[in-house]
Structures are given as structure tokens and as C-alpha cells.
Amino acid sequence: MKHLLIPALIALLSLTSAVRGEEGKLEVNGLAFKFATPWAEIQSTGMFRAGTLSAKVEGAEKPVEAVFYSFPGPGGGGDIEANVKRWLGQFQGTPESKREELAAGDKKITLVTATGTYNDGPPMGAKTPRENYTLIAAIVPAGESNIFVKLTGPKDAISKLAEDFKKIVLSPFAK
């Protein structure tokens, strides 16, 4: 009976931690990104995916994912302008968009928000048009390369997560 008590206590403590919204941490390229409920880390699959956070949010049929990408070598993944252009090009026509530079200590994080008909799908595969979708993406400096973080989903759902997303991408630089 004793051997069942300890695992049960550990499970109970884990559950109460999640309910209280304690922070988790996702490490990518030496940076620690902090997150709290409704975010949870899930297994990442696919090339260059360095981490994935998932959140269940009202307005989305399924959980949305913030995917962290890391590419090897100096300048891996391309420069800021090429990535902004590529993200905006994932929409049909010209999306409603905004670009911001977020101060993170002595670093700057580029944040792009775009809304419109998003062409959802793998980079080299068939695409499914998703009307009224929003993309929020960040370029986070990390040594000789950058970390690219991308969140897409229904506009209403993503708008509920926008401030959390900003906090997550700024968190490695918070004092």
C-alpha cells in the first residue's frame, strides 16, 4: 500500500500545480521561455522544430500551437525581412498586418501580426485556405542565429492569446 501512496501524492501535486497556473519553462538555443496556463509544452515533430506550446482556447475547434523553430549555423533560417515577407505571403492577397519591435534588454524582438485568409499546410504541400485567421510570429535573437516563434489560428482565439504570446517571447530577457 505504501508504494502506491507516493506516486499518488506526486500526481496530486502535479495536478494542483497545473491548476494554480505555475510557470513552465521551454529551453531553446540557451534561452528559457516561461509560460503559464493555458499553455502546456507538447512533443515537437518535424525538422527544425525546437519546441511547441499548446493552448486550448475558446473560439478554436482544437488547441492552437506556438511552434519554436531553430536553424543551425549563423544566420540560419534567414534574415528578418525574408521571414516577415514569407509569413505575409502565407495569406491570400494582402492581409491586415502590423509589425512591432519589442525591447528586450539590449535586444529587439520583431513581432508580426497578420489577419486574413491563411493558407494552412506544410511548406511544400497542399494548402487549405482558412478565412479570418491570425498569425502572430516573433523573431527572437539568440546568439549567432534567431529563434522563430509562430502561432496561427482563428482570429478570435488568437486575440485572446496575443498578450500571453508577447510575454512568452519576452520572458528570456525579463529581469
Side-chain angles (χ1 to χ4, degrees), residues 10-142:
I10 291 171
L12 183 60
L13 288 172
S14 298
L15 180 60
T16 57
S17 294
V19 171
R20 285 197 319 255
E22 288 188 12
E23 288 191 339
K25 184 169 51 169
L26 174 67
E27 294 198 25
V28 179
N29 285 7
L31 296 181
F33 294 89
K34 295 177 185 169
F35 60 91
T37 306
W39 296 99
E41 184 176 3
I42 62 171
Q43 183 176 357
S44 288
T45 58
M47 282 181 53
F48 306 115
R49 283 188 176 209
T52 305
L53 298 178
S54 176
K56 291 181 183 176
V57 63
E58 188 178 324
E61 293 178 19
K62 60 183 183 172
V64 295
E65 297 179 354
V67 181
F68 292 70
Y69 296 94
S70 177
F71 300 90
D79 66 16
I80 292 171
E81 296 309 316
N83 279 279
V84 170
K85 183 178 179 180
R86 183 175 47 78
W87 290 331
L88 296 177
Q90 292 173 328
F91 286 84
Q92 292 180 5
T94 303
E96 177 185 325
S97 65
K98 176 174 73 169
R99 179 175 170 169
E100 302 173 70
E101 301 294 328
L102 306 176
D106 63 342
K107 310 254 189 236
K108 286 190 179 173
I109 295 172
T110 301
L111 187 74
V112 175
T113 304
T115 300
T117 301
Y118 179 71
N119 293 315
D120 193 13
M124 300 298 181
K127 307 286 190 256
T128 302
R130 307 273 186 205
E131 291 183 19
N132 209 25
Y133 252 49
T134 294
L135 167 144
I136 301 178
I139 302 171
V140 181

